[in-house]
Amino acid sequence: MNAIQQLQTRLNAILLGIAPGGRDAPDMHALQRAVEEVRKRVGERTGVLASTDRVERAASQLLGSRESPTRGQAFLLAHAFSIKLKSLGGRSALEHEEVGGRLLAYWEAQARNGQLRPSHWRGLFFSFLQADAGDIERLRGLLKHALPQIERASSTRPDWLENVLRHQRLLSRAPTLEYAQAFVVGNTEELKDLQATVEIPPASWLWVDLIRSIGECVGRMDLEALQRRLPDLLQFAERTPGAVNPLLAACLQRLAQLDSSRRNEALLQASLKHWGSPQLLRNQLWTQVSTATKQMVCGWLAQEDLEDFYRLCKDEKEVDDRRLKFWLRFKQQMTYTMILLGPDLRSSRARDVHEFIKRKGDRLGDLTKTSGSNNAILMCIGGWLFVEFSQTGNACYAFKLDKHKVELGRRVYQHADLRRDDHDLRLLHTDRRGGWEESFLNDLERVGIQTDEPGVRQGSSGEVRTTGPSTRVAASRTRPARREEEEPFRAGWAVSPDKIVVQLSKQGFKISDRRPQGGTVWVLDDEVGDRAHELRRLGMRYKQGKGYYL
């Protein structure tokens, strides 16, 4: 119960007491003390005096007169200075050049003479916090200039004035910067005090500015600080109107700049909750972050889906770990993944399976007309759709997306839909020299797809081999020397960008060299087709949606 409600309850009790048949009236000194306490705590309020009709009438009277405003008119319009009024054509007094200008001049003159009343100042401060147009800077200057006078004129400071004096930085040109800086390093007391004690309207520009300031501070945090403060940042975003989208974007962007490979579960789940999956084009809120940041989260989802898929299927004893290890090497390039459950898992009564289905939600589909223990995972990489089945003995089928009309995001797929005869690639998990992984890598490279670390090869035994200069030095001793410009450009060679640009031009590629502007070298050809291997040989990398770059 606040102070005004306490006073109302006290008055009601008194009125009942002095009514016919009631008890005697209590000591009026107690009531006077209660009134003084209310005045001290909340100051003078406009109450019914600031009704809409009275404010409209005061504005209308000023509009048709050249006289200075009366004290009553100034009082009313101070508390309603930023409210849209019919009498002013739908504008606020602050926006209205004639009425607003005259009122500001009146209050400025009073401030210069030391006569500005605290009740007027308080009304103007509240109006300042909710202003969205007009000469806001002039109003800010008036409030800042007059505050010391208001402080001196108050023999007993009401709580509202104490609160304003404690937070008078709100009248600076960067009103929220210090609050944001303190918040991102873990000092939340000042912000909590501001929220609890200063009467800030829910739709105030101050909240927008605070969210913007926090976002800017997030953009300067290091990785350790960001990871430590993420729970509080996400909690603040949830509790503050209008904060979710800008703060989610700021946290995602900063993490992508610092360490895009490390999945942050809290940030991932908050993003999915508010923006949906970045893998689905219909979720347009992901346009608030860069393509690279969006791809970072797609990679997180791909890793989660792959690990979940192979964990579940491993429990069914239907798949080996080698497939998981292989496809995880492409997770940062995966723009879409979806797990399809076969009949056995979909109808399973196991608790962990039920929890898994609930957690995945609409990011899970069904595989029908297949054997009970078979499942599948769909993966989009570099413009291709790859389909892996969980049952051993199944090939991996691949379809070029610009050639085949494959509807992504469906909830149900038949087994035959995903192993059609018109596939573009059929990759067999058959161990030959180097294992099936080596064969898969060669087939993928022929269509322009490399692992997230192109210079690293990993065989079936898990042995990592780097294709670099040391393996080529010995070979060069047995070959005739070539001219420098004819030396093959291969992964692992240290070749200057200038030489690569020359070679690209010689091979007829259209390029855009943006290095003078701090960028890189891009190949402009829309379709490289079978020439993709030439670009990879030159050390070019592929970015989904943009093409090859150095």
Side-chain angles (χ1 to χ4, degrees):
M1 183 181 295
N2 60 35
I4 293 178
Q5 290 171 327
Q6 290 174 348
L7 177 59
Q8 185 66 52
T9 301
R10 188 74 178 272
L11 286 172
N12 288 340
I14 292 172
L15 290 173
L16 289 172
I18 62 177
R23 59 181 175 78
D24 294 336
D27 181 6
M28 297 307 294
H29 292 294
L31 179 59
Q32 289 174 348
R33 288 194 297 272
V35 171
E36 288 301 321
E37 177 64 20
V38 170
R39 284 178 176 165
K40 179 180 178 182
R41 291 176 64 182
V42 302
E44 297 179 24
R45 290 196 179 256
T46 61
V48 295
L49 293 177
S51 67
T52 302
D53 290 344
R54 293 180 65 85
V55 172
E56 290 280 6
R57 191 179 310 121
S60 181
Q61 290 169 349
L62 273 182
L63 185 60
S65 170
R66 294 186 178 182
E67 300 294 329
S68 295
T70 65
R71 183 180 296 177
Q73 291 170 338
F75 173 78
L76 288 170
L77 290 170
H79 287 266
F81 201 35
S82 57
I83 295 176
K84 310 293 183 184
L85 301 173
K86 292 180 180 178
S87 55
L88 299 181
R91 290 178 290 172
S92 67
L94 178 58
E95 294 175 80
H96 198 278
E97 186 175 348
E98 178 190 344
V99 174
R102 286 169 59 197
L103 284 166
L104 284 169
Y106 169 81
W107 287 313
E108 287 167 346
Q110 286 202 323
R112 285 193 298 270
N113 297 330
Q115 297 175 341
L116 183 61
R117 299 173 68 86
S119 60
H120 290 205
W121 191 97
R122 188 188 183 197
L124 289 171
F125 179 69
F126 186 78
S127 295
F128 167 69
L129 291 178
Q130 58 184 346
D132 60 2
D135 200 347
I136 301 174
E137 183 59 25
R138 185 178 176 185
L139 176 57
R140 184 193 68 81
L142 165 63
L143 290 166
K144 185 175 181 179
H145 172 75
L147 183 57
Q149 170 208 318
I150 300 300
E151 180 183 6
R152 291 192 300 269
S154 303
S155 55
T156 58
R157 295 178 185 170
D159 287 350
W160 72 262
L161 181 56
E162 290 283 5
N163 296 335
V164 168
L165 290 171
R166 197 163 58 253
H167 295 283
Q168 57 185 291
R169 71 190 67 169
L170 296 177
L171 298 174
S172 70
R173 294 185 184 276
T176 61
L177 180 59
E178 290 185 34
Y179 295 101
Q181 290 172 335
F183 180 78
V184 297
V185 298
N187 179 8
T188 62
E189 295 306 313
E190 289 192 18
L191 183 55
K192 288 179 179 177
D193 184 67
L194 172 68
Q195 293 172 308
T197 61
V198 179
E199 296 178 85
I200 304 174
S204 173
W205 56 264
L206 187 71
W207 299 121
V208 177
D209 194 73
L210 176 63
I211 293 165
R212 179 193 56 77
S213 295
I214 291 176
E216 290 180 353
C217 291
V218 167
R220 295 188 290 270
M221 296 176 78
D222 60 33
L223 182 60
E224 181 184 356
L226 180 59
Q227 291 176 330
R228 185 177 66 252
R229 296 293 297 145
L230 258 177
D232 286 334
L233 286 165
L234 295 175
Q235 186 180 68
F236 174 81
E238 291 279 358
R239 294 180 176 179
T240 307
V244 168
N245 289 344
L247 290 189
L248 262 184
C251 292
L252 287 166
Q253 290 280 96
R254 186 55 178 163
L255 192 57
Q257 294 169 352
L258 296 171
D259 185 4
S260 62
S261 62
R262 187 177 303 179
R263 184 173 73 201
N264 186 285
E265 193 62 30
L267 190 54
L268 173 61
Q269 295 307 321
S271 303
L272 294 175
K273 174 184 175 182
H274 294 287
W275 291 1
S277 171
Q279 298 177 339
L280 300 176
L281 292 176
R282 66 173 179 264
N283 294 329
Q284 290 298 302
L285 288 173
W286 284 95
T287 58
Q288 297 176 87
V289 297
S290 68
T291 302
T293 300
K294 180 179 175 181
Q295 182 55 49
M296 172 188 74
V297 183
C298 287
W300 292 353
L301 290 176
Q303 180 179 354
E304 178 189 280
D305 285 346
L306 284 165
E307 291 172 348
D308 284 342
F309 178 70
Y310 285 101
R311 175 183 60 80
L312 282 173
C313 297
K314 187 176 181 181
D315 292 342
E316 297 287 314
K317 298 181 173 60
E318 287 291 345
V319 71
D320 58 69
D321 289 334
R322 288 167 59 186
R323 298 192 197 183
L324 171 62
K325 293 176 182 177
F326 178 82
W327 290 113
L328 280 175
R329 297 167 66 189
F330 299 87
K331 67 180 184 294
Q332 294 178 26
Q333 302 171 64
M334 292 185 183
T335 57
Y336 178 82
T337 52
M338 189 176 194
I339 296 173
L340 306 178
L341 296 183
D344 288 357
L345 281 177
R346 177 56 79 176
S347 60
S348 173
R349 296 183 179 181
R351 182 177 178 180
D352 62 334
V353 175
H354 275 274
E355 291 176 351
F356 166 78
I357 292 173
K358 182 179 178 181
R359 174 166 57 87
K360 287 294 184 183
D362 61 359
R363 293 176 45 233
L364 203 60
D366 290 325
L367 182 65
T368 62
K369 296 190 176 181
T370 185
S371 60
S373 60
N374 198 17
N375 308 280
I377 184 168
L378 310 182
M379 302 167 286
C380 287
I381 311 171
W384 286 72
L385 173 65
F386 294 88
V387 183
E388 275 275 29
F389 296 99
S390 63
Q391 280 186 335
T392 54
N394 277 283
C396 173
Y397 292 85
F399 305 89
K400 205 164 187 288
L401 287 173
D402 61 1
K403 177 181 174 184
H404 297 273
K405 292 184 178 179
V406 181
E407 184 182 352
L408 300 178
R410 283 166 48 189
R411 299 302 298 272
V412 178
Y413 292 85
Q414 294 184 11
H415 184 243
D417 294 338
L418 302 176
R419 50 175 302 172
R420 303 187 329 228
D421 292 336
D422 62 345
H423 55 262
D424 295 291
L425 284 177
R426 183 171 178 267
L427 308 174
L428 301 176
H429 305 89
T430 303
D431 282 332
R432 298 187 180 89
R433 183 178 180 183
W436 61 260
E437 292 92 342
E438 188 75 16
S439 176
F440 270 39
L441 287 175
N442 291 334
D443 288 335
L444 294 179
E445 286 183 356
R446 276 194 286 271
V447 298
I449 298 175
Q450 293 182 310
T451 65
D452 298 334
E453 298 180 18
V456 178
R457 288 254 177 172
Q458 185 174 356
S460 59
S461 64
E463 177 189 1
V464 175
R465 305 195 307 278
T466 303
T467 56
S470 60
T471 62
R472 289 173 170 57
V473 171
S476 66
R477 294 171 185 162
T478 64
R479 297 175 185 159
R482 300 187 183 189
R483 294 201 312 264
E484 182 177 316
E485 64 269 22
E486 294 179 348
E487 188 65 35
F489 293 73
R490 302 192 183 204
W493 282 86
V495 182
S496 73
D498 289 335
K499 291 180 180 178
I500 294 176
V501 170
V502 170
Q503 195 68 15
L504 285 168
S505 299
K506 283 184 177 181
Q507 295 182 11
F509 289 103
K510 292 183 293 183
I511 63 171
S512 173
D513 190 351
R514 302 174 189 171
R515 289 178 296 165
Q517 293 80 37
T520 187
V521 179
W522 288 88
V523 173
L524 300 180
D525 300 67
D526 293 331
E527 294 290 340
V528 297
D530 295 332
R531 303 188 67 193
H533 70 281
E534 297 178 36
L535 294 172
R536 295 194 305 276
R537 184 167 167 265
L538 291 171
M540 305 294 287
R541 289 172 288 178
Y542 182 77
K543 186 167 186 178
Q544 181 68 27
K546 287 196 172 183
Y548 283 89
Y549 69 101
L550 184 59

